[in-house]
Amino acid sequence: GAHLDDARLVELLFLARRWDLRIERLPVEMTHAGGSSVRIVRDSARMLRDIWRIRQRAHRGLYPDRPPALGPS
């Protein structure tokens, strides 16, 4: 199935909010992956780092103000 790492998901949510896009909730099917785990301290630190990087990129103007045009112009 599709996989989206946490940093990309946070970045997409940031851009959707920036561009005033509607966000729909969809059901997902969760499956247990043997050997996978959440490490609270490590994973939280990574998420904070990712959020900080996204904010820094936004502050430097690296994200467009509007979403790119879709389809033929």
Side-chain angles (χ1 to χ4, degrees):
H3 177 318
L4 191 63
D5 66 68
D6 293 338
R8 291 289 170 226
L9 179 58
V10 171
E11 189 172 35
L12 287 172
L13 291 171
F14 168 82
L15 289 171
R17 184 173 183 186
R18 177 183 178 103
W19 297 335
D20 199 29
L21 300 176
R22 186 178 72 235
I23 298 172
E24 298 274 339
R25 289 181 176 222
L26 299 173
V28 296
E29 184 176 320
M30 302 293 288
T31 58
H32 175 72
S36 71
S37 63
V38 174
R39 295 191 173 129
I40 297 299
V41 174
R42 183 198 66 192
D43 294 340
S44 296
R46 283 183 180 172
M47 183 61 67
L48 286 172
R49 180 200 64 203
D50 295 338
I51 291 169
W52 182 81
R53 287 178 177 171
I54 291 166
R55 291 178 61 97
Q56 290 299 307
R57 284 194 291 262
H59 182 71
R60 291 193 310 256
L62 299 178
Y63 293 114
D65 290 330
R66 287 174 283 164
L70 299 175
S73 341

